[in-house]
Amino acid sequence: MRYYSTNHRSQIVDFREATVKGQPEDKGLYFPETIPVLPKDIIKTHSKEEIALEVITPYIDNTIEKNELRRIVEETINFNFPLIQITDDIFSLELFHGPTLAFKDVGARFMSRCLEYFVRNNNRKVIVLTATSGDTGGAVANGFYKAAGIDVVILYPSKKVSNIQELQLTTLGENIHALEINGSFDDCQRLVKQAFADDQLNGPLMLTSANSINVARWLPQQFYYFFALQQWPDKDVLPIISVPSGNFGNLCAGLLAYRSGLPAAHFIAACNSNDVVPEYFETGAYKAKKSVQTLSNAMDVGDPSNFVRMLELFNADYNVLSKLISSYSISDEETRNTIKEVENYLLDPHGAVAYASLKKHGGKGIFLETAHPAKFNDEIEPPPAVSVLLHRKKEATQMDADYNQLKDYLFSHSLK
Ligand SMILES: *Cc1c(COP(=O)(O)O)cnc(C)c1O
């Protein structure tokens, strides 16, 4: 498989280069040249490991040796993805059984292992530099923990991530380094962008990003849509799939799976008050906005990076897109009420947005429960994998939102 940039159909690369580079120089996103069509009976006859391997193999080609790819896939999905019935018509696909209790574990675990494979014979360390508003940091830290030849530097905004989220990225040690920035998430992201654009850094150091637009994080997210269909009990009705969306990587992975043959009836782009995509479906025009803060903070995105992939998947044909996808914007008040109203199941704020959207739309379907509710509510007891964190000591380097400080840190750090 080869990948082109969505900006210019040039800059063709293979999976290895797309993973290591992250983003094409023209600032588009890498997109597969062809979309594989999978055998019809794949979800009936295959185990979850076999499905995952079948789904991902065409995208990898021969950039990863076969047995190694099998190992990487098996390690990526070595936890459960249960489909739980909530009402007659609504099912929850629980994506929070991974080590950091969020669906981002799948992408982070897959990408870290691919990158580790690709830099194996490098004589220099690669530095993965990432800004996080909360969930990405934990998943990346955990996914890359002890990866050979890779150092990870994570910037997070001081006092603006939850307690558990902070512990997840500041207590591992080894090759994981946390920078606590006196500033906002936007400051963190600006500093990271500045570092990638700085030739003085990029010559001597090998910097890369673990951003959610990386194909190695995006593509494996197709897996759990197939796992959902494998567990879908209704032989006569295909499910509507409601996806809580921020940067739209997750939904675009579902749509990619659909184009490869995933049997689904319809998709819902479930959003909080950050409603550029619901507005696109209403008006046909896309207008980026400044993000607003909500209860489902991992979805507070005003200009979702993966929207271009959504267009690319359907040749930007508004009629095709709006037939297959509906989109809803759910307020914080509706989110709170939904969590209260659903008494037999504990929703987290992100899952609640998807649940409420599915309910609004009507019909029979699945919503993606993308994080464990304990991550966002201190009154809920977290599972053991996370509660052990509460006894660990936070280790972070404090820093102002000042690029020169970051640069000094990266230089002195890389000498060790
Ligand atoms: C990142 C995240 C989302 C949004 O996913 P996108 O792929 O950015 O649309 C939803 N829920 C949770 C819990 C997340 O961490």
Side-chain angles (χ1 to χ4, degrees):
M1 177 74 71
R2 304 195 309 164
Y3 300 81
Y4 62 84
S5 165
T6 51
N7 270 0
H8 304 93
R9 290 199 164 229
S10 57
Q11 308 208 2
I12 309 285
V13 297
D14 64 5
F15 178 74
R16 179 198 178 100
E17 198 176 339
T19 298
V20 175
K21 273 175 89 170
Q23 190 168 18
E25 274 122 31
D26 67 8
K27 301 295 168 207
L29 300 194
Y30 285 121
F31 197 87
E33 267 192 337
T34 54
I35 295 177
V37 177
L38 295 166
K40 273 250 173 315
D41 59 352
I42 174 173
I43 58 171
K44 294 199 190 96
T45 56
H46 289 50
S47 68
K48 92 178 197 288
E49 288 75 16
E50 286 168 337
I51 289 179
L53 200 58
E54 184 106 19
V55 167
I56 207 72
T57 294
Y59 291 100
I60 311 297
D61 256 351
N62 51 9
T63 60
I64 298 178
E65 195 263 322
K66 227 174 153 200
N67 288 326
E68 286 290 301
L69 183 60
R70 180 178 290 275
R71 174 190 60 82
I72 290 171
V73 164
E74 285 173 0
E75 288 176 9
T76 298
I77 54 168
N78 68 351
F79 45 88
N80 295 326
F81 300 82
L83 186 69
I84 310 287
Q85 182 158 19
I86 312 298
T87 71
D88 283 350
D89 287 340
I90 299 184
F91 293 71
S92 168
L93 180 68
E94 294 187 345
L95 300 178
F96 56 72
H97 295 277
T100 73
L101 311 185
F103 81 98
K104 290 191 174 71
D105 280 327
V106 172
R109 288 166 80 75
F110 188 76
M111 179 185 165
S112 66
R113 284 160 178 80
C114 292
L115 192 61
E116 189 179 29
Y117 179 88
F118 292 142
V119 304
R120 237 181 218 177
N121 299 319
N122 281 9
N123 44 17
R124 290 193 298 169
K125 271 200 172 172
V126 171
I127 299 175
V128 168
L129 189 62
T130 290
T132 183
S133 59
D135 267 0
T136 296
V140 166
N142 195 286
F144 282 84
Y145 181 54
K146 292 188 178 173
I150 302 174
D151 264 337
V152 177
V153 178
I154 300 170
L155 284 70
Y156 73 97
S158 183
K159 299 187 184 68
K160 293 197 179 67
V161 302
S162 82
N163 188 33
I164 289 180
Q165 287 174 331
E166 181 170 42
L167 290 170
Q168 282 177 333
L169 58 100
T170 57
T171 59
L172 288 172
E174 300 273 350
N175 63 331
I176 310 297
H177 311 276
L179 299 185
E180 181 176 1
I181 304 295
N182 295 316
S184 63
F185 169 63
D186 290 337
D187 290 325
C188 297
Q189 201 151 32
R190 176 175 52 78
L191 291 171
V192 166
K193 279 193 180 151
Q194 216 168 335
F196 285 124
D198 185 346
D199 291 337
Q200 284 181 350
L201 263 184
N202 285 275
L205 305 183
M206 277 186 65
L207 292 184
T208 188
S209 127
N211 197 296
S212 68
I213 58 176
N214 194 298
V215 289
R217 277 191 61 186
W218 178 46
L219 297 170
Q221 298 183 61
Q222 295 176 89
F223 297 164
Y224 39 73
Y225 290 88
F226 289 97
F227 303 162
L229 263 295
Q230 213 176 15
Q231 300 169 74
W232 181 245
D234 194 325
K235 297 282 167 283
D236 305 316
V237 181
L238 293 181
I240 297 162
I241 303 181
S242 178
V243 185
S245 297
N247 238 335
F248 282 80
N250 200 357
L251 177 65
C252 282
L255 295 170
L256 183 63
Y258 175 81
R259 287 224 31 213
S260 287
L262 177 88
H266 194 74
F267 285 88
I268 294 174
C271 298
N272 56 30
S273 301
N274 294 282
D275 62 352
V276 288
V277 172
E279 243 181 53
Y280 165 78
F281 279 105
E282 204 173 302
T283 64
Y286 179 85
K287 250 187 21 234
K289 296 184 184 179
K290 223 175 128 66
S291 68
V292 294
Q293 218 173 343
T294 74
L295 287 175
S296 45
N297 62 5
M299 292 153 55
D300 294 347
V301 181
D303 186 10
S305 348
N306 282 290
F307 184 72
V308 290
R309 282 193 173 130
M310 193 152 125
L311 295 180
E312 197 72 21
L313 275 160
F314 299 98
N315 297 320
D317 188 331
Y318 176 76
N319 291 325
V320 174
L321 278 158
S322 50
K323 221 168 158 183
L324 179 67
I325 307 162
S326 302
S327 190
Y328 299 94
S329 166
I330 305 295
S331 69
D332 273 358
E333 196 190 342
E334 287 173 282
T335 305
R336 258 191 227 101
N337 290 341
T338 304
I339 294 173
K340 255 190 246 143
E341 277 161 28
V342 181
E343 286 173 346
N344 61 338
Y345 188 77
L346 202 49
L347 292 162
D348 98 290
H350 305 78
V353 167
Y355 181 101
S357 300
L358 180 53
K359 195 95 202 226
K360 248 186 200 176
H361 187 80
K364 192 162 177 172
I366 297 166
F367 70 96
L368 272 46
E369 183 41 289
T370 45
H372 192 288
K375 255 190 132 162
F376 303 95
N377 184 342
D378 288 339
E379 284 161 29
I380 298 167
E381 172 111 25
V386 168
S387 53
V388 296
L389 290 175
L390 302 173
H391 308 291
R392 298 232 178 101
K393 203 173 153 299
K394 159 185 162 183
E395 274 184 45
T397 304
Q398 319 264 337
M399 197 176 278
D400 291 328
D402 169 11
Y403 180 63
N404 285 322
Q405 285 187 37
L406 175 64
K407 195 165 170 175
D408 286 346
Y409 174 88
L410 290 173
F411 268 129
S412 61
H413 170 86
S414 65
L415 299 175
K416 283 178 210 141

